Amino acid sequence: MTLVDALQWLGTLDADAVLEALHEVIDPELGVNIVDLGLIYHVAVDDGVVAIRMTLTTPGCPLGGYIEDEINGCLRRFPSVRAVTVDLVWQPPWQPAVMTDAAKQQLGWRG
Amino acid sequence: MLVGLWGGLARLGYSLPADTSTADDHGILMSLGFLGTLIAVERATALRRSWAWLAPVAAAVGSIWLAVGAPAVVGKSLLLLGGIGLTAAYIALDRVQRSTHNALMGVGAVGWIVAAALWLANRDIALLVPWLAVFLVITIVAERLELSRLLQVSQQARLVLVAIMAVFVAGAIISTFDDGAGLRVCGAALIGLTSWLFLCDLARRTVRQRGVTRFMAVGLLAGYGWLGVGGALWLGYGFHVDDAMYDAQLHAVFLGFVMSMVFAHAPVIAPSVLRRPFQYRPVLYIPLALLHLSLTVRLVGGDALTSDIAWRAGGITNVIALLAFVAGTATSLLIVRRPAAASSEKAVADSGRWHARLSTPAVGGVAVGVVLLAVAVAFANSGRTSSASDATPTAGSAAAGSTVGVAISLREMRIDPSTVTAKPGTHLILRVTNNGTMRHDLRLSNGAHTALLNPGQTTVLDAGVITEALNGWCTVPGHRAAGMTMKVVLGAESTSPSSAPEATAMGDMAGMGGAADSTASASDAVSSNLAAAPPAGWKPIDASLPPDGASSVHDVIWHLKDVTMSVAPGVTQTMWTFDGTVPGPVLHGRVGDTFNVTLVNDTDMTHNIDFHAEEGPSAAVMTPIAPGAMHTYHFVAHHAGAWLYHCGTEPMLMHMGNGMYGALIVEPPDLQPVAKQFVLVGSEVFFGAQGGVGDYSKMLADKPDAVVFNGYPFAYHHAPLRARAGDRIRVWVVDAGPTRSLAFHVVGALFDTVYLDGAYTLRPGDAAGGGAQTIPVDPGDGGFVELRLTQAGAYPFLTHAMADAVIGAAGTIDVSK
């Protein structure tokens, strides 16, 4: 039983659990999940409504819709999730520095 | 709205095979219409503002407009508007978040604008190519630059990439003025981009991942390979038009690189734009592999090794690859991702909004749109295919009884495609565009023909219902023999030349007749006796050269005109002339003199003039003069000699062989006065049909009917040159060819002065006691001799190439006491 399955089974959800779950949403071009990429700025859970504030690496990227759908699909598996809102923001701009070490390692950064 | 757009795009494509203009247009419609729409859709999707959809809608509507044959200016303007809209989208994105890569994509969009504007201005399609490449290549590479931020790529490396892109854009700008050099610069930049991408790009790393990420990386890396191939071909070979190299140069970049990028990104972009769940499946590797294999076969087997079968197989498989890919993508889009097994009914209910998007009409619409788009891509590609030797624009699609449109491009000296395959019973409509620089037309052996088309002009030719193989050609004299031919072959027949029976040439066209197909056509005029008396009214060209006047500036106005004249006893031809005579008037001056020669073109054909005494690139100094136009050529004669001038318009052999040449005499400074000077211009005459123009096939075969001095066989037997005994006379000899050399000789005399190649090789009182018997004058060359004939009597002169002398290259100098 994976962590997500366990959480789903428990029916409980908080922001950390959402973040954990969002590790399943992969940027298909990079093969790296959106959390480790540092795209997720803020997660709030209030009475089953998940509000996510996030960015993309560039505003010209057309993947916003795709990633929103993936997030929806991922989170709606939780029985306790009643709604998901995704707010795409451009401030502050995304920078490579916000990537986690795991993402950097996956992308071949050294040192 | 998306469905409508995609469906619209598909309709664009669906109508392509039936109506679209030239094969070249397919390239632009693919680049701006299809890919431009896709890229603009991506930006509009990202920007999430309604006005941003103006760009893709304008591009799509403009393409459809052009595809259905509506007035091109509107369609091209819409495409231009699309480019402007996309640029505006980048400006808006810049305000959201400023970045180098976004600015560069803006530069790419400006490439779109330039290409569309050039197209709107009816500039040569080939000029657009670098700008189409700027649009697509810069857009794609800028995206890779963006993604490079995710890697440990140094700032310097990124600057290098930006610099290479700047070189690429500079190459495109140069290409507008010098297409060869510009394309080479672009090619060098492409190689630079390729090297950078292989060294630094993300794909290098993500190819080690799994699933769709790996698929994308493989597609990207394969595309980079083609970018390098394209760069090498551009750098190594520069500018080509409509040959195998052109095919390779274009398709390496636009199919190999660009389409591979589309393949790579589609699994990500399609679901994002369409908001449809997408199930990546490894089966997508099959069309990807097909694309690259077939392109390899096409370029290596078809273009490099000139195998028709490889070229054709490669081209068709290109199409199949694109079709298969679109089909694969569509299938993946239709696979609905199931919610996790443990999902409750509530989850299903909650995801209603999501599932609502899967409503049957929407899915059906998308599916139909995508499939039609595949057809569009396929035909757009096969249309492009027809630009080379064995077009198959109708292959497999033209059911008997259907109407099929094929674009035909006329230019010097070819017709593209050279073969059109049509099933028997097909109603064939040709859209004929003159992409050349002179006037052309197209006539088919079933009698259908266009009017003479001006450069840039397009017309529609109804070829009728095809029941038999047909030949087609340009009727402008010389053009057919020079290669402006095409044929319509039936259905599954092979395209070997024998499959299209040669049309009966007799009466095909004035003058040229069918002579093009054999060295001596039965329709050619014949002179039973070249030495017979010329017809009444015939006057020889006055060979005497009066002393040069005092003026150092020579202003002349000549009319270019077609003159029907006797060229031999019993033979009348329509000669193309400088000011009404063959050869043209003699220009005469001294070293340092200025010549201002105004030509008024009274013919219906483009001509120009090439003064051998003038220096400069032909594009700058040999200005073509369109029918009805005039032009003044200015030059200073810096060097002495007996120079040839001639028309330098292609086919030059035809223009020279039909009378467009003359002599330009520039006296050396120390020239001694003589009693008499003569100018003799040697040339060959090729009889075409009586009253028509010369037979080009004879010119090609070096089979003249007569070889003459000053335009007429034995002219100066009939009207001898005259001199007095003991006079020193000077004979200037120029050989206009077009092909044979002269060995000028005077029977019973020898020369004490010879001036050849800009220098005296013999002067009077030669210390070694030397004398000269003949002077060799090659085609395009000239010189003079001096001699004294001390005894009265008749002195024959001739070319000592005797076979030429007996067919006219001989005359007489009558020396009186």
Side-chain angles (χ1 to χ4, degrees), chain B residues 497-516:
Chain B
S498 61
S499 67
E502 291 301 317
T504 308
M506 242 55 67
D508 274 347
M509 52 190 177
M512 279 303 291

Side-chain angles (χ1 to χ4, degrees), chain B residues 120-291:
Chain B
L120 187 60
N122 283 323
R123 297 296 296 274
D124 192 334
I125 302 282
L127 267 185
L128 274 63
V129 169
W131 291 105
L132 294 176
V134 164
F135 168 48
L136 294 170
V137 172
I138 297 293
T139 301
I140 291 165
V141 176
E143 193 212 322
R144 306 316 299 174
L145 176 71
E146 192 263 308
L147 289 170
S148 78
R149 296 188 302 159
L150 291 147
L151 301 176
Q152 221 172 4
V153 175
S154 70
Q155 191 60 27
Q156 286 90 333
R158 274 193 270 277
L159 283 175
V160 165
L161 186 63
V162 174
I164 301 171
M165 284 194 264
V167 170
F168 187 79
V169 175
I173 293 170
I174 294 169
S175 77
T176 311
F177 307 100
D178 181 342
D179 37 32
L183 226 60
R184 284 176 201 270
V185 172
C186 285
L190 289 183
I191 291 173
L193 292 177
T194 307
S195 314
W196 194 97
L197 289 169
F198 273 123
L199 286 173
C200 303
D201 188 62
L202 179 68
R204 218 173 132 242
R205 189 151 301 281
T206 50
V207 74
R208 294 178 201 157
Q209 301 219 9
R210 288 174 297 115
V212 68
T213 306
R214 184 193 191 114
F215 171 79
M216 290 184 74
V218 169
L220 292 168
L221 291 172
Y224 299 161
W226 283 116
L227 191 66
V229 171
L233 294 178
W234 288 29
L235 174 65
Y237 298 95
F239 184 72
H240 279 251
V241 170
D242 285 356
D243 57 7
M245 178 53 67
Y246 185 70
D247 186 71
Q249 286 177 326
L250 284 186
H251 290 89
V253 174
F254 289 95
L255 252 185
F257 174 62
V258 175
M259 273 301 160
S260 196
M261 295 299 117
V262 172
F263 277 32
H265 286 88
V268 176
I269 303 296
S272 191
V273 169
L274 296 176
R275 298 302 286 267
R276 293 273 306 120
F278 180 90
Q279 186 65 54
Y280 161 77
R281 291 173 311 143
V283 72
L284 287 178
Y285 276 109
I286 294 173
L288 182 67
L290 260 187
L291 174 76

Side-chain angles (χ1 to χ4, degrees), chain B residues 622-634:
Chain B
M622 298 172 200
T623 310
I625 309 174
M630 61 181 283
H631 178 77
T632 303
Y633 301 86
H634 307 276

Side-chain angles (χ1 to χ4, degrees), chain B residues 607-611 614 616-625 631 633 648:
Chain B
H607 293 294
N608 71 349
I609 195 164
D610 172 357
F611 296 103
E614 184 187 21
S618 54
V621 301
M622 298 172 200
T623 310
I625 309 174
H631 178 77
Y633 301 86

Side-chain angles (χ1 to χ4, degrees), chain B residues 29 33 61 102 112 133 163 168 229 240-241 246 352 363 371 402 421 427 443 461 468 472 491 525-526 640 679 746 791:
Chain B
L29 287 179
V61 172
N102 188 69
W112 173 342
F168 187 79
V229 171
H240 279 251
V241 170
Y246 185 70
V363 172
V371 168
S402 67
T421 307
H427 185 185
R443 187 178 189 97
L461 175 62
E468 55 177 1
V526 175
V679 178
V746 178
Q791 299 174 44

Side-chain angles (χ1 to χ4, degrees), chain A residues 8 28-31 37 57-66 68-70 72-73 76-77 79 81-82 88 90 93-94 96 99 106-110, chain B residues 42-43 45-46 48 93 96-97 101 143-144 146-147 149-152 202 205-206 209 212-213 216 265 268-269 271-272 275 337 340 342 346-347 350 357:
Chain A
Q8 185 180 328
E29 175 134 42
L30 307 171
L37 283 173
T57 58
T58 178
C61 175
L63 289 185
Y66 171 82
E68 269 184 53
D69 285 346
E70 291 289 306
N72 261 300
R76 282 181 176 274
R77 290 179 298 160
V81 170
R82 293 195 297 119
L88 214 48
W90 305 107
W94 178 88
M99 290 191 290
Q106 215 176 338
L107 291 167
W109 290 55
R110 284 182 297 267
Chain B
E42 283 188 42
R43 295 313 153 225
T45 306
R48 302 182 178 202
L93 286 167
V96 172
Q97 197 174 93
H101 56 264
E143 193 212 322
R144 306 316 299 174
E146 192 263 308
L147 289 170
R149 296 188 302 159
L150 291 147
L151 301 176
Q152 221 172 4
L202 179 68
R205 189 151 301 281
T206 50
Q209 301 219 9
V212 68
T213 306
M216 290 184 74
H265 286 88
V268 176
I269 303 296
S272 191
R275 298 302 286 267
R337 189 180 49 185
K346 180 175 178 297
D350 277 354
R357 297 196 197 106

